[in-house]
Amino acid sequence: MTDLILAVGAVVAVAAAGTAGHFHRSYRRERGRADQLQGHAEQLTRQLRAAEHAMGQLASDVLPAIAAAGPGGPRGTDLPLPPPLMHTPLAGRLRDVAGQAAAAVVRVREDAQAAADHRVAEIRSAADHEVARARRESREATRAAVRSFASNVVARASRLSREISQGVRSHQDDEAYATLVHIDHTAQQMLLTAQGYAVLAGDKLSRRWPQTSLSDVIRASMGRIEGYQRVEHHELDTVAVQSRAVEAVVHTLAVLLDNALRYSPPTARVHVSVEEGHHACFLTVDDAGLRMDDERLMWASDIMSGKDRDDITQLGAHPQTGLRVASLLAENYGFRVELSAPNIYQGTRAVLVLPKNLLVFSTAGPPATTPAAVTTTPAAVATSSPAAVPAPRNPAAPAAAATTASGLTVRQRPARTHPAPAPAPDTPAVPGRPSVAAAWAAGSRRGRQTDEDTGLTEGH
Amino acid sequence: MTGPRHDPDMIRPYVRTGGQNRPSRDVRLETVLIAASGPTERLGPDARRVMRLFAGGRGGLAVADIAAALELPPSTVRILVSSLMDSGHLTSPAPVQEGRPGLDLLEEVLRGLRELV
């Protein structure tokens, strides 16, 4: 029984030992697997942390950097990867994300740029259009304002100058005359300026004159400028400017003279010469002033050719209207103005070229260049000069003689009217017979007092 | 019409007198002038026109008549004439009482003239 018990015990022991061995092996195997699993889990945890970190970096640094990159797009999309993520698929994906984000930013930015460019172009063209319209409107408005103002001043100054002319004729007092003449000079300059602006604003010249000899054209222009005393001029009475162009030529010449006087020393003279050419007459204005430099000559010739001329809003802070007006008038009336420098006085030369179709040639007019000849041929004077005294050279026409008071003198002293030639211009004239002269004077005065119509005018 | 017509007011008075605004001597409208026959080339256009009036073989002319003939303001002519007197081209004889026709004669002449008109 004991043995049996022992045997059973031994069997149980062996079985237990076997079982224990089995379990021990099993335990060790399981333990190894658990360790392996734990290592794997730890590696995954590290990778997860690294991924979180990388994601954080992507979100907080890399993507903002890409978004904030300047023009030309983000430079690099390099995402610094921690070692646990090296060579993992996740690393590739993360890099792809960064790359795609950068590409998207570039694309969006390019689209936005293109859209903005398009919009800017649209706005710019609209703005240009608007500016052009505003400029056109302001030009029209300025033109209208200047025209209205200037033509008003021209009209009033013309009336003023007519009234002054009447006043000068009716007032005999020296003081009144001097004052009126002084006012007149100012009014004429005012007229010149105002008329210049009127022309620039597109107005027509309003003043009309009969056809006028070149000599008188020159002197009429001199009346409109300051410093006319410094102008020295030739004369040409046989050539006249046609009525329609007189005011334009006078105005243009006044402008050229004004320029010449303005740019020359206050003591220097300005010379106006008249040449009769085959196709045209030339009025040449020479000053001895500062010659126009090349730049200014270029500017002037641009103005003369019509460039930068017509826009009244582009005159600048110190408007120089003279040459623009001259250019406009020349174009409108068919003459030419040419400027050159230096001239013989080292100054500037302006030439007014008047074509023959603006001129009238008269051979019967008094030849101004030979006044001495005129004085010896009374017949020529009587036929040509409107100022001819109604001299009844023909005694057989008593009706004509009777109309004038001075006719009496001629009949009384037909042979002694020519004073003896003076030996020199500065010696006093040889007097006539005083008694007769005084009688004539008294008679003529009385005649005038009793009959105002007994004038000597020819009435034109 | 032979020559260019004149608008007397186109050329302003101060241009005609060369800027001189007063006569340099006492010249009145009724002052009678007589010309000397000197050269006139150097004179201005209006001075020459004045001198031309004397060239028709006539004696004296009053300032007023010159003004009327040239259609110029009398004051302008007074200045022109005074300059011509300064330069010796014109003289004004002093009226002499002796030899002066009496008032009766002048009135007679005037009446005769009126009848002619």
Side-chain angles (χ1 to χ4, degrees):
Chain A
M1 193 56 196
T2 314
D3 287 343
L4 183 65
I5 292 164
L6 281 171
V8 169
V11 168
V12 168
V14 167
T19 306
H22 172 78
F23 275 110
H24 184 68
R25 276 196 306 278
S26 175
Y27 166 76
R28 284 182 60 184
R29 203 168 53 243
E30 287 302 318
R31 172 96 180 256
R33 270 174 69 182
D35 285 349
Q36 201 184 354
L37 279 171
Q38 192 174 355
H40 193 63
E42 278 170 6
Q43 196 196 354
L44 282 174
T45 307
R46 276 200 306 277
Q47 283 186 348
L48 188 62
R49 287 219 181 97
E52 270 173 13
H53 180 72
M55 286 295 283
Q57 231 177 8
L58 186 67
S60 67
D61 297 340
V62 177
L63 289 180
I66 289 169
R75 270 176 207 42
T77 54
D78 49 340
L79 177 66
L81 287 174
L85 288 181
M86 293 290 191
H87 313 298
T88 59
L90 185 61
R93 294 282 151 79
L94 284 172
R95 283 214 168 94
D96 284 351
V97 167
Q100 280 177 10
V105 164
V106 169
R107 202 170 52 247
V108 166
R109 186 165 285 159
E110 280 172 0
D111 287 354
Q113 187 68 43
D117 286 351
H118 182 64
R119 185 86 188 112
V120 164
E122 269 182 358
I123 289 172
R124 183 168 292 158
S125 99
D128 285 351
H129 187 69
E130 203 59 20
V131 164
R133 195 178 59 82
R135 185 168 289 158
R136 202 167 50 242
E137 275 178 8
S138 87
R139 198 160 50 219
E140 290 311 313
T142 310
R143 192 180 281 273
V146 170
R147 180 160 54 199
S148 146
F149 176 72
S151 59
N152 196 301
V153 175
V154 168
R156 278 161 205 265
S158 304
R159 199 186 314 152
L160 175 65
S161 104
R162 277 196 304 276
E163 279 161 9
I164 291 172
S165 290
Q166 285 167 12
V168 163
R169 285 171 190 279
S170 56
H171 290 289
Q172 306 297 325
D173 177 49
D174 283 351
E175 203 62 47
Y177 178 82
T179 308
L180 278 173
V181 162
H182 197 70
I183 294 171
D184 193 22
H185 191 198
T186 311
Q188 296 305 315
Q189 292 173 67
M190 199 166 93
L191 246 175
L192 182 72
T193 309
Q195 185 162 275
Y197 276 99
V199 169
L200 274 188
D203 226 0
K204 293 268 176 288
L205 292 174
S206 54
R207 299 205 289 168
R208 296 278 176 276
W209 303 106
Q211 73 177 44
T212 306
S213 73
L214 285 179
S215 305
D216 283 356
V217 161
I218 296 171
R219 297 202 297 155
S221 343
M222 284 165 65
R224 302 182 180 190
I225 51 174
E226 183 102 47
Y228 60 90
Q229 297 96 328
R230 286 163 52 203
V231 176
E232 257 178 13
H233 62 92
H234 287 182
E235 284 160 34
L236 191 58
D237 285 332
T238 50
V239 181
V241 178
Q242 281 187 6
S243 171
R244 68 186 165 94
V246 169
E247 179 62 21
V249 174
V250 167
H251 187 109
T252 305
L253 185 59
V255 162
L256 298 177
L257 286 176
D258 193 40
N259 270 357
L261 289 167
R262 219 175 270 279
Y263 289 103
S264 57
T267 52
R269 300 201 154 265
V270 167
H271 302 267
V272 184
S273 56
V274 188
E275 284 297 331
E276 192 181 339
H278 188 65
H279 299 292
C281 276
F282 304 88
L283 290 173
T284 307
V285 179
D286 277 310
D287 68 52
L290 288 171
R291 61 166 286 236
M292 268 186 164
D293 54 35
D294 292 342
E295 195 182 334
R296 217 178 129 66
L297 271 179
M298 189 82 86
W299 172 84
S301 71
D302 276 354
I303 294 285
M304 282 303 162
S305 65
K307 198 174 144 196
D308 300 335
R309 183 188 64 191
D310 296 348
D311 190 351
I312 200 166
T313 58
Q314 304 290 309
L315 295 178
H318 303 285
Q320 294 184 303
T321 57
L323 287 181
R324 291 172 205 265
V325 175
S327 164
L328 274 170
L329 289 177
E331 190 179 293
N332 292 345
Y333 288 86
F335 54 89
R336 233 168 53 236
V337 177
E338 285 167 9
L339 295 168
S340 60
N343 60 6
I344 48 167
Y345 309 107
Q346 300 295 312
T348 305
R349 161 171 286 193
V351 184
L352 193 61
V353 186
L354 301 171
K356 289 216 159 166
N357 61 355
L358 293 181
L359 302 173
V360 178
F361 296 84
S362 71
T363 47
T369 47
T370 55
V374 173
T375 54
T376 56
T377 52
V381 176
T383 53
S384 64
S385 168
V389 172
R393 287 180 310 284
N394 182 2
T403 57
T404 66
S406 59
L408 190 60
T409 312
V410 176
R411 278 198 297 268
Q412 282 182 339
R413 312 180 60 223
R416 299 195 192 175
T417 47
H418 260 306
D426 57 343
T427 56
V430 177
R433 219 163 69 205
S435 57
V436 180
W440 178 86
S444 91
R445 188 163 69 246
R446 264 170 223 254
R448 278 195 306 280
Q449 280 163 0
T450 47
D451 188 355
E452 289 292 324
D453 293 339
T454 316
L456 296 178
T457 60
E458 287 190 340
H460 60 203
Chain B
M1 197 184 76
T2 51
R5 297 196 321 162
H6 292 275
D7 184 320
D9 293 331
M10 186 181 184
I11 299 163
R12 308 313 292 180
Y14 45 88
V15 176
R16 294 189 187 276
T17 59
Q20 201 181 329
N21 287 345
R22 283 163 209 275
S24 58
R25 53 174 71 207
D26 183 25
V27 180
R28 299 182 189 179
L29 281 184
E30 64 269 25
T31 303
V32 176
L33 299 154
I34 293 171
S37 59
T40 56
E41 291 92 343
R42 295 190 162 273
L43 295 175
D46 287 307
R48 284 207 310 272
R49 286 173 69 202
V50 170
M51 294 308 289
R52 242 178 260 149
L53 294 182
F54 290 90
R58 214 169 333 283
L61 275 177
V63 172
D65 295 327
I66 298 173
L70 301 184
E71 296 185 306
L72 292 179
S75 300
T76 310
V77 173
R78 284 170 58 220
I79 296 170
L80 286 171
V81 160
S82 69
S83 300
L84 284 169
M85 289 169 81
D86 291 345
S87 63
H89 288 91
L90 293 178
T91 53
S92 171
V96 181
Q97 286 302 316
E98 292 81 22
R100 186 175 181 169
L103 201 59
D104 297 344
L105 173 61
L106 286 171
E107 279 173 352
E108 196 66 36
V109 169
L110 193 60
R111 249 198 311 281
L113 286 173
R114 286 214 183 103
E115 277 165 16
L116 282 172
V117 173

